[in-house]
Amino acid sequence: MIDIKKFREDADFFKQKWAARGLDVDVNEILAWDTEWRESTVKVEDLKSQRNVASKQIGIMKKNGEDATSAMDAVRDLGEQIKELDSKAAELSNKVSSKLLSLPNPPSEFTPVGTTEEDNPEVRRWGTKAEFDFTPQAHWDLGQKLDILDLPRAAKISGSGFYLWKGAGARLERALINFFLDQNTENGYKETWVPFVVNPKAMTGTGQLPKFSEEIYHATEDNLYLVPTAEVPVTNIHADEILDAKDLPIAYTAYTPCFRREAGAAGKDSRGILRVHQFSKVEMVKFVEPSTSYTELEMLLADAEHLLQQLGLHYRVIELCSGDLGFSAARCYDIEVWAPGTDRYLEVSSCSNFEDFQSRRCKIRYKGDKEKKAELVHTLNGSGLALPRCIVALMETYQRADGSIEVPDVLVPYMGGLTEITAEG
RNA sequence: GGAAGAGUGGUCGAGUGGUUUAAGGCGUCGGUCUUGAAAACCGAAGAGGGUGCAAGUCCUCCGUGAGUUCGAAUCUCACCUCUUCCGCCA
């Protein structure tokens, strides 16, 4: 959520920022509601002040044994007015805040302006595309022939968009989760284990609600949501808290499954396990002092990149332009890994700075040593990393002519010493 | 799931209808004293919002939301969370 005070001062600034995202926002409407709210607030607070004084008087009169009937009648009338004005003010305030909750974060000053993903500039590349003296296969063929990936049976159990690993495939999923968690811990992120099901307040705090209810699984009986990313529970760890400035930056890492309905995405890039309803992901989340958030973003990105480097996978980093930026982010980098069989770059990480957009919604603040007021922290997060597409890249990059797969050195210990995945198991 | 009890500031804890402007302890910060520290003593300090150039001033906040009342931390109702006991259970 944006800062209403800044919005009052310069609504045009926000209008332009939202326009850079392709949104035409009627800022005057919001300003009018806000002005009206402030006017009613001034009135109602004055009435309340009068009532407080009069009530105190009544108390004193009663204590002295005087008759307070007429004074009580007068204040009763005040009470009626207060009630009426109060509900009017509450209505206006709700209008403003529900509107603001549905508006995205303004892109940062660094964010390139653009309309679609075509406009996302490439930041850098690491490594080169793997070369083969045979035609590399896609992971869905490799997985089936090696009998480690069973999509038909996953569909039988749950429907399309779910995956099922067997044998070395299942082991590979577990190995990567552990490898990522270990690496992130080494890089200073504290490992956490969080709920996979969260309440509406947490979902609103990070920005999934109220706008994207169609994208998330909702257990209506209990009004709880399956997490679409660990970002939600992990960021909310410090909701409604005032942190000590000397504890910042705080960095966490967490593994969770991620559940996404992917409404309307059927058919698009959905072959194999490229886009699924449930996938594993290890996430990194930071709470930082505002002045440091953009250097922290670069560090977060470097940490995520390092994971792919150790796996020896070629990737590129792109920066999202204003039109392609996610709802809550002010600036965002995507890391895309090369998958030779699929013949595409696949997004495996999004590293974002949310500035104070989430911390304002979640009320995550920090306080310095002296008389300084509590200020909102900046929050950041990035995948480190999303599993299925990493496995796709691994399988397709390390495949051999006979369809077997070589296990990269760093994963061998996590695979119980297994150095290759073959059809013989 | 059932029963009982409880939720007050950074923390512990008093307050059960009216100068509560939320006591007091601990912790924190500043000062006095000291070579320095500790101890002791003195003092300061919550959050959000409105208004104002400012000093200031006003409103709201005692788990959450409604209600009763001239007036609610205090009374009523609903919900949430925690504790204990019982039941069920990996």
Side-chain angles (χ1 to χ4, degrees):
Chain A
M1 194 158 61
I2 60 154
D3 184 351
I4 183 77
K5 287 181 190 168
K6 282 190 185 144
F7 179 73
R8 278 173 199 147
E9 281 168 22
D10 193 357
D12 280 343
F13 169 82
F14 289 93
K15 189 175 175 64
Q16 282 169 28
K17 286 290 185 181
W18 285 319
R21 281 177 171 272
L23 278 178
D24 183 21
V25 179
D26 185 352
V27 294
N28 289 324
E29 182 185 49
I30 307 171
L31 283 173
W33 292 336
D34 180 56
T35 304
E36 214 184 325
W37 170 76
R38 283 189 288 163
E39 284 166 3
S40 350
T41 299
V42 169
K43 282 184 205 157
V44 79
E45 286 187 355
D46 180 54
L47 292 176
K48 281 180 181 175
S49 176
Q50 289 178 39
R51 180 177 66 182
N52 288 345
V53 172
S55 293
K56 206 163 271 181
Q57 276 302 319
I58 291 169
I60 294 168
M61 286 167 79
K62 288 207 160 189
K63 204 171 224 171
N64 295 340
E66 297 169 36
D67 177 29
T69 317
S70 66
M72 280 162 67
D73 287 344
V75 183
R76 191 176 295 126
D77 187 52
L78 263 182
E80 296 296 322
Q81 294 180 53
I82 288 169
K83 204 171 190 179
E84 205 172 299
L85 259 177
D86 240 353
S87 67
K88 186 188 166 195
E91 200 179 303
L92 285 161
S93 157
N94 284 339
K95 258 183 172 172
V96 172
S97 57
S98 63
K99 183 72 187 180
L100 291 186
L101 280 172
S102 74
L103 288 169
N105 201 357
S108 78
E109 55 181 311
F110 312 108
T111 303
V113 175
T115 50
T116 67
E117 61 181 7
E118 305 294 315
D119 303 318
N120 295 338
E122 184 172 306
V123 177
R124 63 178 156 267
R125 288 183 180 219
W126 185 89
T128 53
K129 291 182 182 177
E131 288 179 16
F132 301 87
D133 48 17
F134 56 92
T135 306
Q137 302 181 64
H139 66 280
W140 49 83
D141 288 329
L142 288 167
Q144 191 189 355
K145 287 173 193 162
L146 292 168
D147 195 30
I148 59 173
L149 178 62
D150 192 338
L151 292 172
R153 286 199 173 101
K156 176 175 71 179
I157 299 165
S158 303
S160 72
F162 292 89
Y163 60 89
L164 189 165
W165 293 120
K166 296 188 282 192
R171 181 71 192 246
L172 189 56
E173 177 106 2
R174 180 157 61 94
L176 274 174
I177 292 169
N178 287 333
F179 171 66
F180 291 155
L181 284 172
D182 284 351
Q183 287 296 308
N184 292 341
T185 303
E186 217 166 278
N187 287 332
Y189 299 81
K190 179 178 267 191
E191 185 172 346
T192 56
W193 181 271
V194 294
F196 300 165
V197 179
V198 301
N199 62 31
K201 187 181 174 226
M203 279 291 190
T204 307
T206 36
Q208 281 72 21
L209 288 178
K211 269 217 94 176
F212 305 100
S213 56
E214 287 178 5
E215 283 299 318
I216 47 188
Y217 288 98
H218 187 201
T220 52
E221 188 87 359
D222 299 294
N223 197 18
L224 293 169
Y225 295 86
L226 304 192
V227 296
T229 159
E231 164 192 347
V232 179
V234 177
T235 304
N236 275 282
I237 286 175
H238 292 300
D240 297 314
E241 292 183 17
I242 298 177
L243 303 166
D244 196 328
K246 64 175 180 281
D247 294 332
L248 299 179
I250 294 172
Y252 295 125
T253 185
Y255 153 76
T256 71
C258 300
F259 302 94
R260 301 186 181 179
R261 294 188 65 229
E262 303 289 356
K268 191 188 170 204
D269 310 329
S270 58
R271 190 96 198 261
I273 55 171
L274 295 180
R275 182 182 293 274
V276 285
H277 292 304
Q278 179 193 328
F279 61 94
S280 299
K281 179 160 61 66
V282 173
E283 188 76 1
M284 301 177 282
V285 175
K286 286 186 185 183
F287 305 82
V288 308
E289 281 192 50
S291 63
T292 66
S293 65
Y294 280 97
T295 51
E296 291 284 353
L297 176 62
E298 298 300 322
M299 290 159 67
L300 183 77
L301 175 63
D303 290 333
E305 285 181 60
H306 188 57
L307 298 171
L308 288 176
Q309 290 168 11
Q310 285 184 277
L311 293 171
L313 295 173
H314 165 55
Y315 66 84
R316 66 180 187 188
V317 177
I318 60 165
E319 172 161 18
L320 298 195
C321 72
S322 57
D324 199 27
L325 204 58
F327 179 80
S328 299
R331 187 180 199 187
C332 178
Y333 295 107
D334 276 2
I335 304 174
E336 298 182 338
V337 72
W338 176 248
T342 310
D343 196 30
R344 286 194 41 207
Y345 283 100
L346 305 173
E347 181 190 333
V348 287
S349 179
S350 261
C351 297
S352 311
N353 185 357
F354 302 93
E355 299 192 354
D356 60 11
F357 188 82
Q358 294 182 324
S359 57
R360 184 171 293 107
R361 290 168 162 246
C362 292
K363 295 192 182 65
I364 307 171
R365 290 167 291 175
Y366 77 100
K367 204 171 192 174
D369 343 319
K370 297 284 151 58
E371 290 84 12
K372 274 200 236 156
K373 281 195 75 175
E375 304 276 357
L376 294 167
V377 300
H378 280 190
T379 59
L380 301 91
N381 68 54
S383 336
L385 297 163
L387 271 275
R389 293 174 186 167
C390 278
I391 299 183
V392 167
L394 271 176
M395 288 170 68
E396 296 184 2
T397 300
Y398 289 102
Q399 64 180 295
R400 297 165 175 151
D402 65 357
S404 65
I405 296 167
E406 185 188 340
V407 175
D409 290 345
V410 289
L411 287 184
V412 171
Y414 289 94
M415 293 291 286
L418 195 70
T419 55
E420 57 177 12
I421 300 172
T422 62
E424 287 73 40

